[in-house]
Amino acid sequence: MSWTGLVAGLVAGVALGQSPATLEAVRLHKPEAAGLARDELAACVAKKCPDAGRLALLAGTLALSDGRAAEARDILAAWPPPALLAPYHAFYLGQARFYAGDAVGAAADFSRVLEARPPAELAARARARLGESLLKAGKAKEALASLEAAAKATPTPELVYQRGLARGAVGNRAGQVADLLAVALRHPTHPYADEAVKWLTGGRKPAVKWGFAERTRRADGFLDAGAPQRALEELEALEGVKLAKGQPAAVALLRARAFFALKQEEAARKALAVAEKGPPDVAAEAALLVARRALRADDNDKARALMAGLDAKYPSQPAGDEGAFFAGWLDLQAGRFADAVKAFGAFHQRYPRSRRRDEGLWFRSLAHLRLEEYTKARETLEALVEAFPRSNMVPQARYWVARSQELEGAKADVVGPAYEALVTSAPASFYALMAAERLKALGRAPPAHFPHPPKQLELPRPPELELAMELTRAGLFRDAADEVEAQAARVRSADQALPFAHALLKLGEYGHAHAVAARHLWGRAFGSREPDALAAFYPRAFANAVQDAAAKARVDPFLVWAIMRRESAFKPEVMSAADARGLMQIIPPTATAIAERLAEPAPAPADLFSPERNIRYGAWYLSRLMERFRHPVLAAAAYNAGPGPTVKWALERGRLPLDLFVETIPFKETRAYVKQVVADLFLYHAFYGNGAEPLRLSLQVPEPAKEGVTF
């Protein structure tokens, strides 16, 4: 549960176990947190206050997280917890005893957790730790029952590995082999995977099969995990092994991928030469690898030739489908619009089952638009709507049908109704925003995107959230968040979801409220346009922090919320595969650069999960992007793709009208990102602008400043 949730609970009259300062330190993982918790416990004991059990629970868990297991054991054993928190107390006492070397005592504690019938998430953790404790205590047969249940419910590499050890200890060699194989092949980068491989390849009899399939699967896993050297090591183990027909080419393709990742170009090309002589599926993938590399390197002429070659040579392979699509896309990017029309027409005919057919129709219509062939563009757009009525491109197609008529000279009475229909049928979309701006330019007042702004309901807190609040009072934020998520997962209908989402909003749990709404309230919010359903989709999350940071950075707070909504959906704990962290998804190097400009010490990566710091850094960065780019479309593009590419796009294509400029952004992810952020920015203004003059979107792309933020 978030810090804002805690504060909201306090405002609602919930007494705190710990001081706000201590809880804030815990949430931020500050080094002084454990000391503050110990001091508060000592003061409570001296005064004989009734909260000693709750204070001891936090002090003990913090000592445990700092690696002081014996100290944690002594603190937790000395003070009984509040009744509602007894299962959590037993769990953390078991953890402390386990790491202090008392596996038998730990097993007893974990058994007590299960006897108390705790929440499902805590029960799963306790069951897993019970099995591990019994195994460590030498009680493999007893351990196996717990590990079987735990691994079946949550087959993590740790649990599967532990279950394999337990199975082996009771004589189930087949089960042990199956488990260790699963860890070694499905999780090659996990530390237990290396232990599993040692056991499997250790010369045991009967021997475990370990050859081409196993080595190549692990190599592929290492490549996907960004460990190309480990992939090569797996493949080198196949040297001297007699491979079946086609297998040398498959190995060569994996080697080429690894060499490219290691920037060993010559070795990669040699491996590709072998792969391209293999069976059609391998040869096609090898050729596609080369084409994709040319595309990523911005060598578009070469990429175009290679993609067309894939289409010609491998029409029955997925690589041929991709080649045909990107040949047309590259024609479009290069301004060869007539060629793009032909290429996408051929793609549509040759690959009638392609997953990209709606995109192909869209890009064909875009080429017609760039050629000012408006009638042909409309024919293609209408074909898209007819063939793919559920495609997310339908609002886009309908906007451009009307826009193409306007570009041909149609008057407001002709195109106005189509724009108005789009505003009401897809009210939260970028195309509704563009339609509204076009109506204003035509001298027509657009209809309201939503007839009423979001409305937060005042409802009693559901009893299902009482345990989460008690965990928050104790400072057990991870457990509180798990409990909220578990309760949210039990919501099954819109009627259940609405009061639950509003209770979460009141607690400050904006991310969980948004997730519940996204699962159950989409139709009410965007179909029926109900204000109480909208509230969970567009909250003013972490309002004080956003408004303070935006004021200091001199940036629109509604832009901060729009970025936050797209980046994290209001969840402070989110971390991406690229190591972007927190509400505004800031990566540690960017945070370091921002801190330097703010004359602050560089933050630790964990500090970026702090809502206050993350929002402050994000607001500062957005203000600098707006200073340089002077338009929310460009600022959003730069936030997603970086200032460098955005400058390039603005200089190359900035003479286009704004709507066409956005459609020509080369990165698919950035196009979608810009559309959502800018639409959300205007909705936030409409919802919460307090009657201020409506925000207008400039339909011209400004030239970026030469100087300004570059990271």
Side-chain angles (χ1 to χ4, degrees):
M1 185 166 289
S2 66
W3 173 246
T4 303
L6 174 74
V7 174
L10 176 59
V11 171
V14 178
L16 296 176
Q18 280 73 23
S19 71
T22 297
L23 290 170
E24 173 73 346
V26 173
R27 186 184 59 78
L28 292 180
H29 308 288
K30 290 185 175 180
E32 64 267 26
L36 289 171
R38 285 197 305 272
D39 291 345
E40 287 189 355
L41 174 60
C44 178
V45 171
K47 295 178 182 178
K48 297 183 179 179
C49 80
D51 248 354
R54 183 179 289 106
L55 295 166
L57 181 55
L58 179 59
T61 56
L62 290 175
L64 181 62
S65 67
D66 286 343
R68 301 191 305 275
E71 178 186 332
R73 176 199 60 203
D74 294 342
I75 292 172
L76 292 167
W79 303 99
L84 197 58
L85 300 181
Y88 295 90
H89 176 271
F91 178 81
Y92 288 112
L93 181 56
Q95 293 274 72
R97 284 191 168 127
F98 181 88
Y99 290 113
D102 181 7
V104 174
D109 288 323
F110 295 130
S111 293
R112 283 196 298 116
V113 176
L114 295 172
E115 289 165 3
R117 296 184 179 180
E121 194 280 334
L122 181 62
R125 289 160 61 194
R127 191 173 292 108
R129 296 314 312 276
L130 172 61
E132 186 178 1
S133 299
L134 290 168
L135 189 62
K136 188 173 182 180
K139 301 179 179 181
K141 187 174 181 179
E142 296 175 50
L144 185 56
S146 293
L147 290 170
E148 290 279 11
K152 182 178 180 180
T154 312
T156 64
E158 295 86 356
L159 286 175
V160 173
Y161 181 80
Q162 295 281 354
R163 183 178 66 184
L165 295 183
R167 284 174 166 176
V170 300
N172 181 0
R173 187 179 189 277
Q176 181 177 19
V177 169
D179 280 344
L180 297 187
L181 270 173
V183 173
L185 299 180
R186 295 175 192 167
H187 310 280
T189 58
H190 194 280
Y192 280 151
D194 290 337
E195 296 301 316
V197 171
K198 288 179 185 176
W199 189 92
L200 291 164
T201 60
R204 289 172 174 79
K205 294 182 180 180
V208 177
K209 180 183 178 182
W210 193 263
F212 172 81
E214 292 73 26
R215 294 289 185 190
T216 53
R217 183 170 175 183
R218 275 175 58 81
D220 194 52
F222 282 127
L223 287 169
D224 288 343
Q229 189 59 51
R230 291 294 308 272
L232 285 176
E233 290 168 8
E234 286 293 329
L235 298 174
E236 286 166 5
L238 288 172
E239 294 292 334
V241 175
K242 185 176 181 181
L243 299 177
K245 183 179 180 181
Q247 290 180 341
V251 172
L253 179 57
L254 290 168
R255 289 172 64 83
R257 290 173 57 196
F259 284 131
F260 277 132
L262 292 167
K263 302 188 184 306
Q264 298 178 20
E265 301 287 328
E266 185 176 351
R269 284 193 293 272
K270 289 179 180 178
L272 276 176
V274 175
E276 288 171 340
K277 295 176 182 176
D281 58 334
V282 177
E285 284 300 312
L288 181 58
L289 175 62
V290 176
R292 284 174 176 165
R293 285 182 58 78
L295 189 61
R296 285 195 295 269
D298 282 336
D299 190 350
N300 287 353
D301 289 341
K302 179 180 179 181
R304 203 306 180 179
L306 291 169
M307 291 295 183
L310 285 166
D311 174 31
K313 191 172 183 179
Y314 301 108
S316 62
Q317 298 292 332
D321 179 332
E322 188 158 347
F325 178 86
F326 277 103
W329 185 84
L330 286 162
D331 282 337
L332 187 61
Q333 292 298 309
R336 298 186 294 267
F337 304 126
D339 290 339
V341 168
K342 293 176 183 176
F344 280 116
F347 166 77
H348 194 72
Q349 295 297 322
R350 284 168 65 79
Y351 299 97
R353 297 182 179 179
S354 173
R355 61 184 177 85
R356 297 181 184 271
R357 287 182 69 214
D358 57 345
E359 280 188 280
L361 286 168
W362 158 246
F363 283 124
R364 184 181 178 186
S365 70
L366 182 57
H368 283 304
L369 288 167
R370 298 302 304 275
L371 290 166
E372 300 183 5
E373 297 174 348
Y374 299 123
T375 301
K376 291 180 179 179
R378 285 195 295 277
E379 290 172 355
T380 307
L381 292 164
E382 287 161 356
L384 191 164
V385 173
E386 182 178 355
F388 303 99
R390 296 184 180 276
S391 170
N392 60 8
M393 290 186 162
V394 167
Q396 183 171 348
R398 287 179 172 155
Y399 170 81
W400 281 104
V401 166
R403 180 77 171 112
S404 68
Q405 291 177 307
E406 185 183 356
L407 289 167
E408 275 186 320
K411 302 300 182 184
D413 60 336
V414 175
V415 299
Y419 284 147
E420 290 164 357
L422 187 56
V423 172
T424 54
S425 65
S429 71
F430 174 75
Y431 296 98
L433 169 61
M434 292 305 307
E437 292 299 320
R438 291 292 169 196
L439 285 166
K440 293 173 189 175
L442 291 168
R444 291 170 69 110
H449 293 246
F450 294 91
H452 303 287
K455 179 181 179 181
Q456 190 163 332
L457 303 176
E458 293 296 326
L459 299 170
R461 186 168 64 241
E464 302 96 303
L465 292 174
E466 291 304 319
L467 175 57
M469 282 305 306
E470 186 71 6
L471 289 162
T472 296
R473 292 177 63 205
L476 302 184
F477 293 107
R478 174 196 164 181
D479 297 294
D482 288 341
E483 175 62 14
V484 167
E485 194 162 345
Q487 294 298 335
R490 294 187 175 96
V491 174
R492 291 289 180 269
S493 69
D495 288 340
Q496 282 182 294
L498 192 64
F500 197 86
H502 280 271
L504 292 174
L505 288 173
K506 191 173 181 180
L507 289 175
E509 283 296 337
Y510 307 106
H512 288 300
H514 186 278
V516 168
R519 285 197 294 268
H520 300 288
L521 298 175
W522 192 270
R524 289 191 178 186
F526 302 112
S528 305
R529 300 189 292 171
E530 298 174 17
D532 47 6
L534 277 175
F537 285 97
Y538 297 96
R540 285 174 288 187
F542 309 94
N544 290 337
V546 169
Q547 289 163 349
D548 289 348
K552 289 175 182 175
R554 297 189 300 278
V555 70
D556 185 346
F558 296 119
L559 180 58
V560 177
W561 275 311
I563 293 284
M564 185 189 300
R565 185 174 189 268
R566 177 62 179 80
E567 290 285 354
S568 65
F570 312 112
K571 288 191 174 183
E573 72 278 7
V574 170
M575 184 169 73
S576 76
D579 203 27
R581 296 165 180 248
L583 290 165
M584 306 292 284
Q585 287 291 277
I586 297 172
I587 60 173
T590 297
T592 299
I594 293 171
E596 181 180 345
R597 284 155 180 79
L598 292 173
E600 296 180 1
D607 291 342
L608 296 179
F609 294 115
S610 158
E612 184 277 332
R613 185 189 295 264
N614 199 281
I615 290 167
R616 185 160 54 84
Y617 283 10
W620 182 92
Y621 186 54
L622 274 174
S623 73
R624 298 309 182 267
L625 292 177
M626 283 299 292
E627 282 180 8
R628 184 170 190 193
F629 291 102
R630 298 179 293 141
H631 197 291
V633 159
L634 297 181
Y639 200 97
N640 178 259
T646 304
V647 168
K648 179 183 177 184
W649 301 333
L651 294 178
E652 289 177 350
R653 309 167 192 209
R655 291 186 179 86
L656 293 173
L658 184 74
D659 48 12
L660 266 180
F661 173 82
V662 171
E663 304 294 12
T664 64
I665 291 173
F667 298 170
K668 181 178 181 179
E669 177 189 330
T670 304
R671 284 197 305 276
Y673 183 94
V674 165
K675 291 174 185 179
Q676 181 178 330
V677 165
V678 176
D680 289 349
L681 166 64
F682 276 73
L683 286 174
Y684 265 108
H685 268 277
F687 291 153
Y688 304 115
N690 295 325
E693 186 71 21
L695 190 67
R696 289 299 302 269
L697 180 67
S698 171
L699 300 180
Q700 302 300 316
V701 180
E703 184 174 327
K706 292 181 180 178
E707 303 296 327
V709 65
T710 58
F711 59 88

